[in-house]
Amino acid sequence: MADKIETPAFVMDENTLQSDLALLRNVADQASCKLLYSPKACSLSTVLRSVARKVDGFACSSPFELRLVDQLCGGSHSLHLVSPLIKRETLAAFGERLNYLTVNSLSQWERLRGAVSSETKVGLRVNPQRSFVRDPRYDPCQQNSKLGLSISRLADRFETAPASLRGITGLHFHNNCDSTDFTSFLETARHIRDVIPKVLRQIEWINLGGGYLFNLVADFAEFYAAVAIFRETFGLEVFIEPGAAAVQRCGTIEATVHDIFDGDDVQIAILDTTVNHMSEVFEFQFEPDVLGHVDNGPYSYILAGCTCLAGDTFGQYSFDRALTIGAKITFLNMGAYTMSKAHRFNGVSLPTIYTRRLDGSVDEIRTDSFDDFARHAGVTDIAAA
Ligand SMILES: Cc1ncc(COP(=O)(O)O)c(C=O)c1O
């Protein structure tokens, strides 16, 4: 298979995707909640089509995501939109096809109230004011968060201005990122139960967001207990909308070593990929998993990306054998927030996209071209470019 793949490449493994989706489906069924997928994690067509076979709907963040999901996955899935920006024209374009809309603030709701189809169920994003993410850039509950109405204000509005909540039939929260246990999930659910019990008695549904890597969790008891608070105590329909849990493991980035030279105290290996293709490596400064890397192996290299950015590096990795020019490097667990955040800084092309089918065969899905780069740069007459 390796020979068939032109690097840099993104390879989606259908087998892994299906097993991680099956796990999510099973846990959602055990909890009797509805399973949505957040396409922001990965919106490649092959991923969406596979995901569609296992989920009840899609939790989109923009009109483009909505349109893509609608076109690729047909009309049988429920479509949800949650975003700090919702334009009237989006609501007009989707009309009753938008099944659930989550508004981000009560002022947004006030302005959109008249523009929402009577078939669309409207929820309010609530900030539960329970922070579990250390990096504030990824913490929806940071001080002065732009994401949702704080739960304390919601409690207050419910008592002092209930008319402002008219038409709201659901709540939505999302307050974690890549978590591998559900302690914080249960803590958040209990907090919501304790602070706004009267609101929960008035509504019909609640969306508990994403942020948990279900496939790395050993015990789901706290997840089931949290869902039961809303389902059993308050009789609500419950949704979850994971992204990374569905797709993180199924994607690899494949690269080739193009140069090796001496650094101050370790060799540098230049690859034909870059942090452009894995932007969270740069944002979080974490070292991605590399196939064949061994702790304290005899041959060490800084694996470096191919752009002019000094910080375009992946970290120091050791191997049992020396790398040579032309060696292949596989970055593991790259399915989430890679292709959806990839860009062409320095004019480096996006990875070629492949799917490894269940029978092991590999299909090329898309190759990035100079024309794509030129179009992005505003060139309209590609032939003359
Ligand atoms: C509102 C909302 N829902 C769901 C998700 C998906 O989160 P994850 O991919 O961590 O499961 C996100 C991610 O940012 C989000 O902002």
Side-chain angles (χ1 to χ4, degrees):
M1 178 200 84
D3 290 347
K4 204 182 156 187
I5 289 178
E6 291 283 333
T7 62
F10 175 87
V11 183
M12 190 277 276
D13 184 70
E14 276 192 338
N15 202 21
T16 310
L17 177 62
Q18 292 206 1
S19 78
D20 284 344
L21 284 170
L23 171 87
L24 284 170
R25 183 71 264 172
N26 185 38
V27 173
D29 288 346
Q30 292 287 320
S32 299
C33 67
K34 292 265 165 61
L35 175 63
L36 309 176
Y37 170 66
S38 277
K40 60 171 81 74
C42 181
S43 54
L44 297 182
S45 58
T46 46
V47 168
L48 292 178
R49 287 197 179 101
S50 291
V51 167
R53 289 195 282 273
K54 286 286 180 196
V55 298
D56 301 298
F58 291 87
C60 299
S61 314
S62 65
F64 277 7
E65 282 187 356
L66 277 175
R67 278 177 63 183
L68 190 67
V69 164
D70 206 23
Q71 275 178 25
L72 292 177
C73 305
S76 60
H77 294 86
S78 71
L79 284 186
H80 299 232
L81 176 63
V82 51
S83 171
L85 173 66
I86 293 160
K87 293 185 176 174
R88 295 176 85 89
E89 51 263 40
T90 305
L91 299 175
F94 284 90
E96 62 190 39
R97 185 69 199 95
L98 184 63
N99 304 99
Y100 289 80
L101 169 71
T102 293
V103 294
N104 192 54
S105 70
L106 288 175
S107 69
Q108 188 186 40
W109 174 225
E110 209 42 57
R111 276 191 310 285
L112 294 178
R113 196 184 272 282
V116 182
S117 160
S118 56
E119 300 297 310
T120 304
K121 295 187 177 176
V122 179
L124 172 67
R125 180 158 181 173
V126 57
N127 162 4
Q129 297 176 299
R130 278 287 174 276
S131 282
F132 302 105
V133 182
R134 253 177 280 136
D135 184 335
R137 294 172 305 164
Y138 292 88
D139 180 7
C141 301
Q142 61 174 262
Q143 185 74 8
N144 292 314
S145 172
K146 66 169 194 178
L147 298 170
L149 181 67
S150 69
I151 195 165
S152 49
R153 279 188 194 279
L154 174 57
D156 182 58
R157 288 301 280 267
F158 185 80
E159 297 299 338
T160 58
S164 61
L165 296 167
R166 198 167 31 86
I168 303 274
T169 61
L171 291 180
H172 180 294
F173 73 88
H174 166 86
N175 66 336
N176 219 332
C177 178
D178 284 357
S179 180
T180 52
D181 78 74
F182 285 104
T183 309
S184 40
F185 192 68
L186 182 55
E187 187 185 322
T188 306
R190 287 179 173 148
H191 180 64
I192 292 173
R193 173 198 65 191
D194 294 344
V195 178
I196 52 166
K198 291 187 201 161
V199 180
L200 294 174
R201 263 181 233 116
Q202 296 276 311
I203 58 170
E204 295 162 15
W205 59 275
I206 189 161
N207 185 325
L208 312 183
Y212 292 84
L213 295 174
F214 285 69
N215 47 315
L216 298 181
V217 175
D219 182 357
F220 293 99
E222 289 174 311
F223 174 77
Y224 296 137
V227 173
I229 288 177
F230 301 115
R231 262 185 52 76
E232 286 161 27
T233 314
F234 297 97
L236 303 182
E237 179 172 41
V238 177
F239 296 92
I240 53 170
E241 50 177 27
V247 295
Q248 187 179 72
R249 273 189 348 124
C250 75
T252 55
I253 299 270
E254 312 282 338
T256 302
V257 176
H258 280 257
D259 192 18
I260 299 174
F261 57 90
D262 291 332
D264 293 325
D265 49 28
V266 64
Q267 290 201 300
I268 317 289
I270 302 287
L271 310 180
D272 56 3
T273 185
T274 149
V275 292
N276 294 3
H277 303 155
M278 302 169 235
S279 64
E280 291 197 338
V281 169
F282 189 72
E283 284 170 45
F284 283 116
Q285 294 290 294
F286 79 91
E287 296 194 356
D289 301 330
V290 168
L291 188 68
H293 156 73
V294 285
D295 287 338
N296 306 315
Y299 301 96
S300 270
Y301 305 86
I302 289 178
L303 297 181
C306 57
T307 72
C308 68
L309 175 67
D312 182 5
T313 60
F314 300 100
Q316 186 168 332
Y317 293 84
S318 302
F319 300 90
D320 275 338
R321 281 187 294 175
L323 290 182
T324 50
I325 306 298
K328 302 294 180 208
I329 299 288
T330 298
F331 292 91
L332 302 166
N333 304 318
M334 286 289 134
Y337 303 105
T338 47
M339 295 308 288
S340 54
K341 287 187 162 188
H343 55 84
R344 299 189 187 88
F345 173 58
N346 269 212
V348 178
S349 65
L350 300 178
T352 302
I353 299 164
Y354 296 88
T355 296
R356 190 183 301 110
R357 304 287 179 198
L358 295 176
D359 65 2
S361 61
V362 174
D363 290 340
E364 184 179 315
I365 307 297
R366 178 184 188 274
T367 308
D368 202 40
S369 67
F370 168 73
D371 287 3
D372 295 317
F373 176 61
R375 214 171 274 126
H376 188 73
V379 179
T380 48
D381 181 358
I382 301 286

